[in-house]
Amino acid sequence: MPAVDRLSNLPDVPLLHIMSFLTTKDVVTNTCTLSKRWENFWTGATCLIFDSHEFNDDLKFMNFVDNVLAKRQNLNLDTFKLVWNNNTSTFEAAESWLAHAVKAKPRVLILIISGDDVYLEFSDDVFMCESLEELKLSTTFSGGFYPLKPKSVKLNGLKKLEISHDINLDDDFMKKLMGGSPILEELILDCEFEGLSIISSQSVKKLILYCHATDKFQISIPSLLSLYIENAVPGRISCKNLVSLVEACISVDCCLYDGSGTLLNGLSNAEELHFDNISSVAMFEKELPNCPTFYNLKEMNCHVDSFYPVARFLQHAPNLEKLTLRYYFELKCDSYYRHESDVYFSCEKLKMVEICYACPEEARDGMKLLSYNEDMPNNVELKLTRL
């Protein structure tokens, strides 16, 4: 019985969808030989993914991209992704490719660019592309930090923005961005913030920050539901107007934290809090005296080396239902419980406590903490997990 080419018999739409999961090099070089139908089928692709790591040198890569863009059909793009580790002295070719992509009204635009002494200047057209729903800009070069300075921003369809590596954001850019992106929901920043004093939005629901901040700045986003901050320096970051906050995950820079700041204060509306390193827990003793009560907090997960600051925090969390404690160092519990009146707390709604420990002594000390709950329910579930 002769073999049947079921793949080639599929309609155009599912075939193009399958091709969207492949790099453009795979599509062009590997599908043309399948059958006569496939010879120029790739020219109708609406997802273009160019990656210089698939080529031996920049010239071959540049020629390939030029050839594809010259031969493709005049169709709007769904996705344009460019990954280029550029070893040449110019980005003129990339500027031309980017202009082509923007004219094709992409829904997703991803630019991951690196070079030694030069960087790709993202044209104003990128920030005026109203078809975009998702935009990722990443550039790495040895000459410092590239400031984003568009004349204006008009990204009326943008829902997700990610900016990373050697890019600097200041107040001028942030003001234009938020003013020109009325439905932006997810913002991921892993870059420099020199000259930035505030991140303010009326639409962002999820904010992820990988901090490299040297200047103090404030987060003021009433619509925010989810906040993640890595390497936070509490004295340099403050939160305000996070009235819709549901969950927050914070890790504090161990080296730069000096005990100052009011980061905790701004998280008081959260229902779920995660503190991802021991320095985060060190904030409790310094900041709690000036913090309001965390009435909405239902779940807390934190890394500890002492239960004393945790007990102090629980004095501000009367409605907590689930507590997870993770050990990383030997406990200093006995030395901290100097004044028992300092550590009594009341969590009458507590339903579950999980203690993740490395040695039995830590598990015992974790259970000792619970004895300081003046309103401990009888049906609390205790889970011990050995690391």
Side-chain angles (χ1 to χ4, degrees):
M1 185 175 180
V4 178
D5 185 0
R6 292 187 175 89
L7 182 63
S8 295
N9 289 331
L10 288 173
D12 287 359
V13 173
L15 280 179
L16 290 170
H17 180 69
I18 293 171
M19 288 167 58
S20 70
F21 294 97
L22 305 173
T23 65
T24 303
K25 183 176 184 293
D26 284 338
V27 170
V28 174
T29 59
N30 296 332
T31 64
C32 294
T33 58
L34 294 177
S35 70
K36 194 170 184 68
R37 181 189 178 193
W38 287 90
E39 287 182 6
N40 295 303
F41 187 76
W42 64 267
T43 62
T46 57
C47 293
L48 299 180
I49 302 174
F50 300 108
D51 189 341
S52 67
H53 297 94
E54 295 182 307
F55 295 81
N56 294 327
D57 60 60
D58 284 306
L59 183 58
K60 290 181 180 179
F61 174 67
M62 293 163 66
N63 288 337
F64 176 79
V65 178
D66 285 338
N67 185 57
V68 169
L69 296 183
K71 291 183 178 181
R72 71 177 296 270
Q73 299 176 36
N74 187 22
L75 299 171
N76 286 348
L77 284 170
D78 178 82
T79 300
F80 183 89
K81 180 178 180 179
L82 175 64
V83 181
W84 189 9
N85 181 20
N86 184 7
N87 295 304
T88 71
S89 59
T90 178
F91 274 110
E92 287 184 12
E95 292 169 2
S96 173
W97 304 335
L98 188 52
H100 181 110
V102 170
K103 286 180 181 178
K105 300 179 180 180
R107 184 183 63 85
V108 178
L109 180 61
I110 301 174
L111 304 172
I112 303 174
I113 309 296
S114 60
D116 291 332
D117 300 317
V118 293
Y119 57 81
L120 172 63
E121 290 193 32
F122 302 114
S123 68
D124 287 350
D125 291 341
V126 172
F127 299 99
M128 298 295 287
C129 186
E130 295 189 65
S131 64
L132 285 177
E133 296 180 16
E134 182 178 338
L135 174 62
K136 178 177 180 178
L137 302 176
S138 174
T139 183
T140 306
F141 77 111
S142 59
F145 301 104
Y146 164 54
L148 289 182
K149 294 287 186 182
K151 293 179 181 178
S152 59
V153 174
K154 192 175 182 181
L155 298 168
N156 290 334
L158 192 67
K159 295 180 181 179
K160 180 179 179 179
L161 173 64
E162 181 175 352
I163 300 176
S164 62
H165 293 97
D166 296 336
I167 296 176
N168 185 69
L169 307 182
D170 59 14
D171 281 336
D172 179 66
F173 173 79
M174 195 60 64
K175 184 178 180 180
K176 291 176 180 176
L177 173 67
M178 295 308 177
S181 308
I183 64 170
L184 181 64
E185 295 183 352
E186 184 173 352
L187 181 60
I188 304 171
L189 301 177
D190 184 8
C191 54
E192 295 298 315
F193 305 134
E194 185 175 344
L196 181 69
S197 64
I198 187 168
I199 300 176
S200 178
S201 170
Q202 298 298 318
S203 64
V204 171
K205 293 180 173 61
K206 183 176 183 179
L207 176 63
I208 299 175
L209 294 178
Y210 299 89
C211 285
H212 310 274
T214 55
D215 299 334
K216 292 184 178 181
F217 70 94
Q218 183 182 91
I219 300 169
S220 178
I221 308 177
S223 57
L224 195 66
L225 301 176
S226 177
L227 173 65
Y228 176 92
I229 306 179
E230 185 171 304
N231 293 327
V233 182
R236 297 175 187 172
I237 302 177
S238 61
C239 297
K240 184 180 180 182
N241 297 326
L242 304 188
V243 294
S244 303
L245 190 65
V246 175
E247 61 176 354
C249 181
I250 309 295
S251 71
V252 169
D253 189 308
C254 304
C255 299
L256 296 177
Y257 179 49
D258 61 4
S260 65
T262 57
L263 179 58
L264 268 181
N265 200 318
L267 306 178
S268 60
N269 289 308
E271 297 178 14
E272 185 175 333
L273 289 176
H274 296 258
F275 298 100
D276 266 6
N277 62 359
I278 291 170
S279 291
S280 303
V281 177
M283 289 191 300
F284 295 167
E285 287 189 86
K286 299 292 184 180
E287 298 190 19
L288 281 173
N290 299 314
C291 276
T293 301
F294 291 69
Y295 286 109
N296 297 334
L297 190 63
K298 300 292 191 299
E299 181 175 342
M300 186 171 81
N301 186 318
C302 56
H303 293 176
V304 297
D305 66 349
S306 163
F307 280 133
Y308 179 77
V310 177
R312 292 291 306 278
F313 183 93
L314 294 179
Q315 293 173 341
H316 294 254
N319 297 316
L320 191 71
E321 296 179 0
K322 181 179 179 181
L323 174 65
T324 302
L325 303 171
R326 303 179 184 277
Y327 289 98
Y328 269 70
F329 300 98
E330 182 181 353
L331 278 182
K332 298 177 284 190
C333 200
D334 290 339
S335 63
Y336 273 101
Y337 289 139
R338 292 185 296 271
H339 306 290
E340 291 190 357
S341 61
D342 286 345
V343 296
Y344 281 109
F345 57 91
S346 177
C347 291
E348 61 181 19
K349 297 183 180 180
L350 197 62
K351 297 177 180 178
M352 180 177 179
V353 176
E354 181 177 6
I355 300 172
C356 304
Y357 65 97
C359 62
E361 289 78 10
E362 294 172 340
R364 284 194 292 268
D365 283 330
M367 290 184 284
K368 180 180 178 181
L369 171 74
L370 301 181
S371 68
Y372 289 90
N373 187 355
E374 295 180 314
D375 295 295
M376 175 67 76
N378 294 325
N379 59 343
V380 173
E381 178 184 352
L382 179 61
K383 181 179 180 181
L384 301 178
T385 303
R386 188 150 194 168
L387 298 174

Coordinates of all heavy atoms in Angstrom, one line a residue, residues 79-113:
T79 N 3.9 37.1 14.6 CA 5.0 37.2 15.4 C 6.3 37.5 14.6 O 6.5 36.9 13.6 CB 5.2 35.9 16.2 OG1 4.1 35.6 17.0 CG2 6.5 35.9 17.1
F80 N 7.1 38.4 15.1 CA 8.4 38.6 14.6 C 9.4 38.6 15.7 O 9.3 39.4 16.7 CB 8.5 40.0 13.9 CG 9.9 40.3 13.2 CD1 10.1 39.9 11.9 CD2 10.9 40.9 13.9 CE1 11.3 40.1 11.3 CE2 12.1 41.1 13.3 CZ 12.3 40.7 12.0
K81 N 10.3 37.6 15.6 CA 11.3 37.5 16.7 C 12.7 37.5 16.1 O 13.0 36.7 15.1 CB 11.1 36.1 17.4 CG 12.1 35.9 18.6 CD 11.8 34.6 19.3 CE 12.8 34.3 20.4 NZ 12.5 33.1 21.2
L82 N 13.6 38.3 16.6 CA 14.9 38.5 16.1 C 15.9 38.3 17.3 O 15.9 39.0 18.3 CB 15.2 39.8 15.5 CG 16.6 40.2 15.1 CD1 17.0 39.2 13.9 CD2 16.7 41.6 14.6
V83 N 16.7 37.2 17.2 CA 17.8 37.0 18.1 C 19.1 37.1 17.4 O 19.4 36.3 16.5 CB 17.7 35.6 18.8 CG1 18.8 35.3 19.8 CG2 16.3 35.4 19.4
W84 N 19.9 38.1 17.7 CA 21.1 38.3 17.0 C 22.3 38.7 17.9 O 22.3 39.7 18.5 CB 20.9 39.5 15.9 CG 22.1 39.6 15.0 CD1 23.1 38.8 14.8 CD2 22.2 40.7 14.0 NE1 24.0 39.2 13.8 CE2 23.4 40.4 13.3 CE3 21.5 41.8 13.7 CZ2 23.9 41.3 12.3 CZ3 22.0 42.7 12.7 CH2 23.2 42.4 12.0
N85 N 23.3 37.8 17.9 CA 24.5 38.1 18.6 C 25.5 38.7 17.5 O 26.2 38.0 16.8 CB 25.1 36.8 19.2 CG 26.4 37.1 19.9 OD1 26.7 38.2 20.3 ND2 27.2 36.0 20.1
N86 N 25.4 40.0 17.4 CA 26.0 40.7 16.3 C 27.5 41.0 16.5 O 27.9 41.6 17.5 CB 25.3 42.1 16.1 CG 25.8 42.8 14.9 OD1 26.6 42.3 14.1 ND2 25.3 44.0 14.7
N87 N 28.3 40.4 15.6 CA 29.8 40.6 15.7 C 30.3 41.7 14.6 O 31.5 41.8 14.5 CB 30.5 39.3 15.5 CG 30.2 38.3 16.6 OD1 30.4 38.6 17.8 ND2 29.7 37.2 16.2
T88 N 29.4 42.3 14.0 CA 29.8 43.4 13.0 C 29.8 44.7 13.7 O 29.5 44.8 14.9 CB 28.8 43.4 11.8 OG1 27.5 44.0 12.3 CG2 28.5 42.0 11.2
S89 N 30.1 45.7 13.0 CA 30.2 47.1 13.6 C 29.0 47.9 13.4 O 29.0 49.1 13.7 CB 31.5 47.8 13.0 OG 31.3 47.9 11.6
T90 N 27.9 47.4 12.9 CA 26.7 48.2 12.7 C 25.5 47.3 12.8 O 25.5 46.1 12.7 CB 26.8 48.8 11.3 OG1 25.6 49.5 11.0 CG2 26.9 47.7 10.2
F91 N 24.4 48.0 13.1 CA 23.1 47.4 13.1 C 22.1 47.9 12.1 O 20.9 47.9 12.2 CB 22.4 47.6 14.5 CG 22.8 46.6 15.6 CD1 23.6 47.0 16.6 CD2 22.4 45.3 15.5 CE1 24.0 46.1 17.6 CE2 22.7 44.4 16.5 CZ 23.5 44.8 17.5
E92 N 22.7 48.4 11.0 CA 21.9 49.0 9.9 C 20.9 47.9 9.3 O 19.8 48.2 9.0 CB 22.8 49.5 8.7 CG 23.5 50.8 9.1 CD 24.3 51.3 7.9 OE1 24.1 50.8 6.8 OE2 25.1 52.3 8.1
A93 N 21.4 46.7 9.2 CA 20.6 45.6 8.6 C 19.4 45.4 9.6 O 18.2 45.2 9.1 CB 21.4 44.3 8.5
A94 N 19.6 45.3 10.9 CA 18.5 45.1 11.8 C 17.5 46.2 11.8 O 16.3 46.0 12.0 CB 19.1 44.9 13.2
E95 N 18.0 47.4 11.6 CA 17.1 48.6 11.5 C 16.1 48.4 10.3 O 14.9 48.7 10.4 CB 17.9 49.9 11.4 CG 18.6 50.2 12.7 CD 19.6 51.3 12.5 OE1 19.7 51.9 11.4 OE2 20.3 51.7 13.5
S96 N 16.7 47.9 9.2 CA 15.8 47.7 8.0 C 14.8 46.5 8.3 O 13.7 46.6 7.9 CB 16.7 47.3 6.8 OG 16.0 46.9 5.7
W97 N 15.3 45.4 8.9 CA 14.4 44.3 9.2 C 13.3 44.8 10.2 O 12.1 44.4 10.0 CB 15.2 43.2 9.9 CG 16.3 42.7 9.1 CD1 16.5 42.8 7.7 CD2 17.5 42.0 9.6 NE1 17.7 42.2 7.4 CE2 18.3 41.7 8.5 CE3 17.9 41.7 10.9 CZ2 19.6 41.1 8.6 CZ3 19.1 41.0 11.0 CH2 19.9 40.7 9.9
L98 N 13.6 45.6 11.1 CA 12.7 46.0 12.1 C 11.6 46.9 11.4 O 10.4 46.8 11.7 CB 13.4 46.8 13.2 CG 12.5 47.2 14.4 CD1 11.8 46.0 15.0 CD2 13.4 47.8 15.5
A99 N 12.0 47.8 10.5 CA 11.1 48.6 9.8 C 10.1 47.7 9.0 O 8.9 48.0 8.9 CB 11.9 49.5 8.9
H100 N 10.6 46.7 8.4 CA 9.8 45.7 7.6 C 8.8 45.1 8.5 O 7.6 45.0 8.2 CB 10.7 44.7 7.0 CG 9.9 43.7 6.1 ND1 10.0 43.6 4.8 CD2 9.0 42.7 6.5 CE1 9.2 42.6 4.3 NE2 8.6 42.1 5.4
A101 N 9.2 44.7 9.7 CA 8.3 44.0 10.7 C 7.2 44.9 11.1 O 6.1 44.5 11.2 CB 9.2 43.5 11.8
V102 N 7.6 46.1 11.5 CA 6.6 47.1 12.0 C 5.5 47.4 11.0 O 4.3 47.5 11.3 CB 7.3 48.3 12.5 CG1 6.2 49.4 12.8 CG2 8.1 48.0 13.7
K103 N 5.9 47.5 9.7 CA 4.9 47.7 8.6 C 4.0 46.6 8.5 O 2.8 46.8 8.0 CB 5.7 48.0 7.3 CG 6.4 49.3 7.2 CD 7.1 49.5 5.9 CE 7.8 50.9 5.9 NZ 8.5 51.0 4.6
A104 N 4.4 45.4 8.9 CA 3.5 44.2 8.7 C 2.6 44.0 9.9 O 1.9 43.0 10.0 CB 4.4 42.9 8.6
K105 N 2.6 45.0 10.8 CA 1.6 45.0 11.9 C 1.6 43.8 12.8 O 0.6 43.1 12.9 CB 0.2 45.3 11.4 CG 0.1 46.6 10.6 CD -1.4 46.8 10.1 CE -1.5 48.2 9.4 NZ -2.8 48.4 8.9
P106 N 2.7 43.4 13.4 CA 2.8 42.2 14.2 C 2.0 42.3 15.5 O 1.8 43.4 16.0 CB 4.3 42.1 14.5 CG 4.8 43.5 14.5 CD 4.0 44.2 13.4
R107 N 1.5 41.2 15.9 CA 0.9 41.1 17.2 C 1.9 41.0 18.3 O 1.8 41.5 19.4 CB -0.1 39.9 17.3 CG -0.9 39.8 18.5 CD -1.8 38.6 18.5 NE -0.9 37.3 18.5 CZ -0.4 36.7 19.5 NH1 -0.6 37.2 20.7 NH2 0.3 35.6 19.4
V108 N 3.0 40.2 18.0 CA 4.1 40.0 19.0 C 5.4 40.4 18.4 O 5.7 40.0 17.2 CB 4.2 38.5 19.4 CG1 5.4 38.2 20.3 CG2 2.9 38.0 20.0
L109 N 6.2 41.2 19.1 CA 7.5 41.6 18.6 C 8.6 41.3 19.7 O 8.4 41.8 20.8 CB 7.5 43.1 18.3 CG 8.8 43.7 17.7 CD1 9.3 43.0 16.4 CD2 8.7 45.2 17.5
I110 N 9.6 40.5 19.4 CA 10.6 40.1 20.3 C 12.0 40.4 19.7 O 12.3 39.9 18.7 CB 10.5 38.6 20.7 CG1 9.1 38.3 21.3 CG2 11.6 38.2 21.7 CD1 8.9 36.8 21.5
L111 N 12.7 41.2 20.4 CA 14.1 41.6 19.9 C 15.1 41.4 21.0 O 15.0 42.0 22.1 CB 14.1 43.1 19.5 CG 13.0 43.6 18.5 CD1 13.0 45.1 18.4 CD2 13.3 42.9 17.2
I112 N 16.0 40.4 20.8 CA 17.0 40.0 21.7 C 18.3 40.2 21.0 O 18.8 39.4 20.2 CB 16.9 38.6 22.2 CG1 15.5 38.4 22.8 CG2 17.9 38.2 23.2 CD1 15.1 36.9 23.1
I113 N 19.0 41.3 21.3 CA 20.1 41.8 20.5 C 21.3 42.0 21.4 O 21.2 42.5 22.5 CB 19.8 43.2 19.9 CG1 18.5 43.1 19.1 CG2 21.0 43.6 19.0 CD1 18.5 42.2 17.9

